[in-house]
Structure formats: C-alpha cells, structure tokens
Amino acid sequence: MILRIQPRSFTPYLAGALAVASLTSGCASAGADAATAGIGGAATTPQSAGVAAPRPGAAGIGDRVHPGLGNGGYDVRRYGLALRFTHDLSAYTATTTLTARARQALSRFDLDLNGPRVRSVTVDGRRAAWSTSGQELRVTPRRPLPAGREFTVRVTVRGTVATPRQARRLGTSAVGLIRAQGFVQSINQPSGAHRIAALADHPAQKAPATITITAPSKVNSIANGRLTGTRHAGGSTTRRFTSGEKLAPELIQIGLGRFSVVHRRGPGGIHLRYAVPTGKRKALMPQIDRVVPSAIGWFTRRLGPFPLRTYGIYATPLGGELETQSLTLLATSELTKSGMRHNGSDSIVTHEISHEYFGNSVSPRRWRDLWLNEGHAVYYESLWSAAKHGSDAAKRFKSAYQDSGAQLRRQGPVAAPRPGAFKPRSMAPYGFGAYQGGALTLYALRQKVGAATFQRIERAWVSEHRNNTAGTGDYIRLASRVSGQNLRPFLRSWLYSTKLPSMPGHPNWKVKETK
Ligand SMILES: [Zn+2]
C-alpha cells in the first residue's frame, strides 16, 4: 500500500481516492453488527482421563495491534472462496470452505466476519451451531474436534458491495468489496477481507487458495492466481482462480467489470496478465509493458527468483495502490502516459511489485512487523527512483530521518507501534514508522555492513522465508548470522526507540527537535 504524506499524519491512498471518486448513489447500509445465531446441534464436551478436555479456540491469533484478527486453536491448510454476484453487482453470496487442522481439542472455534449475514454453517458436512459477536463468528461443531484432526468448515454468507459513499462512511480504508464506475474491486488491508466473507483474517493464517467468481457474462472477472477453469451457463460465467502460493486474506483481490485481460510472457517465463478497462487498453498498455517486466527483472537481479509464476495488474478507475497478491491494484490514472509522468507512477508500480517479495511471499507474523513489508517497499522504491530517474536516495532518507522524532514519539517505535495513536485505529500500524522508519532502518543496516553484505542478507531473507511468515526477531537473527556479527543491539536501537540513533556514515544528520 502507498501512504500519502500529510503534515501531521499519513493517509492511505484510498482515502484521497474516495474523496474525489464520482459517487454513485446508494442507501443500503454496508454491514450490520447485530448479534445473530443459528440453530444446530449443540456440542457436548465429554471429559476423558489423560486427554485434554475440548475448549474453545481463542477469538484472536494474539496480535497486540489487532487483537480480534485471526483465530486461535487451529491452523488453516487451504481456503476456498466462492462468490456469486447479483445481476447489478450490488450484492453477492460468498461460501468460504476452510480446511484446517485443530491445534487443540476444540469445543468451539471462531472465524472473523464483519457485516455479511450468515446463511449456513457446516463442519465436515454437518450443520453446526453458530453465533456472532462483534467481528467474530463462533462455530460449535456437533461433536468436539480432537487435537490434530483435520476438518472442513463451510460458511455461506450474503453481503453487499459498498459504494464509495458507503465506504467513506466506514471511516477506514479496509472496506472489503467496493463498486465504483462499473468496476468491483477489493481493498482489504489490514482487515477488510472479513467484510467480504468468513475468514481467518490474519497474514499468519495464510494458505493456498481457490477463488471462484460467478457473475453475469456481460462483465469479466478476475482474482488472485491462475485462471484454472471457466464455465458459461444461463447468462452467467464462472471462473476459478488458483493460488498455489499461500495467500493472506488481506491480499485477496476480486475484480469484476468491463475489462480485457492482456497476456504477456515476462522475465524468466513468468506469465503476466493485466486486467485493464477495455476502452483504455491502448492508452495504458505501452506504460505497463515498459515498466512491469523491467521492474521484475530489476528485482530478480537484486533478490533472486520472483516469488510467483503469475503476476499482473488490475487497473480500475478508483484504484487503491494495493499489493493484492499476484494482481496489483492500481488506478488507471496512474498508468496513462501523462499520469505516469506526473505521478512518478513507475515508482508506485515498483513499490507494489516489491511487496510480492516483502509482505506477500514473506508475510508479517504479527502486524507490528509491518515495517518488513513497507520499509522494504519504500527502500527499494527509492533505489529504483535513483537508478531510473537520478533522484537522490540519501537525500530522501535524510529528510525522513530529520522528521522521525515527532512521528515516532506520536505513533511509537518502528517495530513497536502504539495502535491507539493511529487514526482511524483500524489502519494501525500503517504510518511513518512502518514506511519511513523501516526504510531508514534498512538504509542504516546497509551503511553499517556494506552494500554487498546487505544484499546477501536480503537475498537470504526472501529465500529462507519464501511463501511463509516471519517477524522482526527472525530478521535480526538472520542479519546477524549472514553478516557474521551480532547486529541485535544495533537493529534494536533502530526498531524499538522513538529517538533514532545516529546514521552510520552520515554523522551530520540530525533529528529535528520539536516540542
Ligand atoms: Zn506498500
């Protein structure tokens, strides 16, 4: 994601986009929180000697920034998400099929769900009791699930696609599905995915996924991953998309609209596919063809093999500048010839492509580790601008360093953000610390260990944690091991302080003192 710098804070791109989006009228409320419940067989919890008694899985995965996100008691093995849209694309039913393994004996477990109405819940094919409480869907299987058991929970919900006006009313950029100017797209970071369907909405619960979209044949559809099936029936078309790589719910993209999908062969044989509004294909493709393969090649040379075999862009009038996995969401205005020149959009494209390594392939274990996504994206975006446009990366880092005092005092250290300081709180920890603070930490590390060692650290990071999750402690340990020096005190002084240490090689850089 890209954040716009404001004098006092950072604003997600979408907030600006929504402010200028031509609004379509709509009056349905985008979600209700009323507690509801379904009837099913109530679970019994037999006690037997020597076996831990079944108990409820935790409501959250244990993330201090977003305590409600994710769920305890089970590991997700696979996601299936099947969406069927109404004729006007304003509403849908979504069936989540989640295959998981119980980490403990479970009397009950949760999924995350915020807004859509539950129609049915089954566990291993049998109706299960359920209730909702806030953003939790509590599922009680007929019989407790023993520890180690693999099980499948299927939840069907009915939801609405938000209009920009409804999305603005939510007061967050994590809106789930949104419909503007005839195009449906999703904006999930960090917690919008469970506005779409029942999911375990935390990057640490990512899993391979299949997304199936059924919609009127007059519109096209696209989602993360490879197209692995198409079926036409009765005026509707169903397309199935498969992500062999693990996919975090926050990175789900669902696209619908009058767009064409343009296919290309990219560096190393990567399959590139771009979903662009049909009328804008000629205006957008020259820039896309110029920047995307070049950026993928640039990253591959620095970091090693690209994490995906399929990659592309979904360009919409609203956009959102979001690294939805294998299908970056961008605004058409960023991709026109003049837009690219005025906005420096090739840097934006590069920022998002970097996330396929940092954030998507190597996902944060907890949300406080977001600097490993955004710090890297800002760092490499700065290097790209320097290489391609001659901009001065050190000057950019110096400016961020000078501003760091006030920003970090307000929102907390780079790797220890204070969620209450973010407005809206739902967007924590998207702020200065994760973006500029993270990039400064990486620049400081490179200054300390030298460019060649730093590159070895980076290549090891994306290779050893590929298609997995990792946190700040993992990065510190890996950097120390690869460099052959104990970098723990050095990196911790950058990551856990609101007053940054002096920048190696730039003793004259000073943090601005502000009241
Ligand atoms: Zn980003």
Side-chain angles (χ1 to χ4, degrees), residues 55-61 68-79 96 98-113 136-139 141 145-153 155 198-202 204-207 249:
R55 57 194 165 84
I61 201 170
L69 293 186
N71 300 281
Y74 61 88
D75 295 320
V76 182
R77 290 291 175 85
R78 182 152 199 98
Y79 287 106
T96 307
L98 185 150
T99 306
R101 183 176 174 279
R103 292 174 69 97
Q104 63 178 64
L106 285 168
S107 59
R108 193 186 82 195
F109 61 88
D110 281 19
L111 287 116
D112 300 313
L113 181 68
E136 299 294 319
L137 170 64
R138 291 189 175 140
V139 178
L145 299 163
R149 162 78 69 84
E150 189 163 292
F151 64 97
T152 298
V153 54
V155 181
L199 291 158
D201 197 359
H202 194 284
Q205 288 185 302
K206 66 180 188 173

Side-chain angles (χ1 to χ4, degrees), residues 1 351 355 374:
M1 189 196 291
H351 177 112
H355 278 310
E374 299 299 350

Side-chain angles (χ1 to χ4, degrees), residues 115-455:
R117 300 286 182 163
V118 178
R119 288 295 178 86
S120 68
V121 180
T122 64
V123 175
D124 291 333
R126 304 184 70 182
R127 281 184 67 189
W130 59 269
S131 64
T132 57
S133 172
Q135 299 187 20
E136 299 294 319
L137 170 64
R138 291 189 175 140
V139 178
T140 306
R142 287 187 180 225
R143 289 202 177 79
L145 299 163
R149 162 78 69 84
E150 189 163 292
F151 64 97
T152 298
V153 54
R154 183 166 292 152
V155 181
T156 298
V157 301
R158 185 162 174 80
T160 53
V161 180
T163 62
R165 182 176 295 172
Q166 291 164 341
R168 271 198 304 184
R169 251 187 250 139
L170 293 175
T172 171
S173 282
V175 298
L177 288 174
I178 179 169
R179 177 169 50 108
Q181 298 179 41
F183 290 82
V184 173
Q185 59 177 66
S186 45
I187 305 263
N188 295 339
Q189 278 188 338
S191 56
H194 67 284
R195 288 186 189 278
I196 302 174
L199 291 158
D201 197 359
H202 194 284
Q205 288 185 302
K206 66 180 188 173
T210 302
I211 298 174
T212 309
I213 302 175
T214 302
S217 298
K218 65 183 179 183
V219 294
N220 207 341
S221 56
I222 196 160
N224 317 77
R226 246 169 3 105
L227 177 66
T228 50
T230 306
R231 196 174 67 242
H232 304 280
S236 289
T237 299
T238 300
R239 292 187 182 83
R240 185 180 67 228
F241 300 89
T242 305
S243 291
E245 296 82 10
K246 294 174 186 170
L247 173 67
E250 52 133 353
L251 301 172
I252 288 173
Q253 185 55 260
I254 309 287
L256 290 155
R258 293 183 193 277
F259 55 75
S260 306
V261 180
V262 181
H263 297 268
R264 299 279 195 259
R265 192 177 159 84
I270 292 170
H271 170 215
L272 298 172
R273 47 98 176 83
Y274 307 111
V276 293
T278 303
K280 298 214 182 253
R281 182 176 168 160
K282 278 197 178 135
L284 305 187
M285 283 313 299
Q287 291 72 248
I288 292 174
D289 280 334
R290 183 169 58 77
V291 174
V292 173
S294 161
I296 289 176
W298 190 82
F299 276 108
T300 304
R301 287 192 294 281
R302 274 160 186 77
L303 297 166
F306 198 64
L308 302 166
R309 298 303 299 161
T310 298
Y311 175 74
I313 286 173
Y314 176 34
T316 69
L318 183 61
E321 298 177 328
L322 214 57
E323 66 271 26
T324 43
Q325 188 162 307
S326 80
L327 191 60
T328 298
L329 176 69
L330 290 167
T332 49
S333 60
E334 305 278 6
L335 295 168
T336 60
K337 193 173 176 188
S338 65
M340 193 150 281
R341 197 168 51 238
H342 289 130
N343 302 322
S345 324
D346 62 324
S347 297
I348 295 169
V349 174
T350 310
H351 177 112
E352 304 307 345
I353 290 177
S354 80
H355 278 310
E356 295 297 352
Y357 291 90
F358 303 105
N360 298 7
S361 175
V362 186
S363 295
R365 178 165 294 130
R366 292 294 180 263
W367 277 109
R368 63 175 178 263
D369 302 317
L370 181 67
W371 73 274
L372 288 162
N373 301 13
E374 299 299 350
H376 274 113
V378 171
Y379 177 81
Y380 284 101
E381 178 195 334
S382 305
L383 292 201
W384 167 274
S385 294
K388 301 292 171 181
H389 306 299
S391 69
D392 187 343
K395 197 170 159 190
R396 183 171 170 176
F397 292 134
K398 181 183 180 181
S399 164
Y401 184 86
Q402 289 170 332
D403 294 340
S404 64
Q407 297 280 2
L408 295 179
R409 265 201 308 279
R410 190 162 58 247
Q411 296 188 331
V414 173
R418 285 193 285 269
F422 289 78
K423 288 190 180 63
R425 194 193 180 294
S426 61
M427 292 310 294
Y430 284 85
F432 181 94
Y435 283 73
Q436 307 301 328
L440 283 170
T441 301
L442 294 165
Y443 182 67
L445 177 61
R446 189 186 71 170
Q447 291 289 100
K448 183 171 175 67
V449 301
T453 301
F454 179 73
Q455 193 167 3

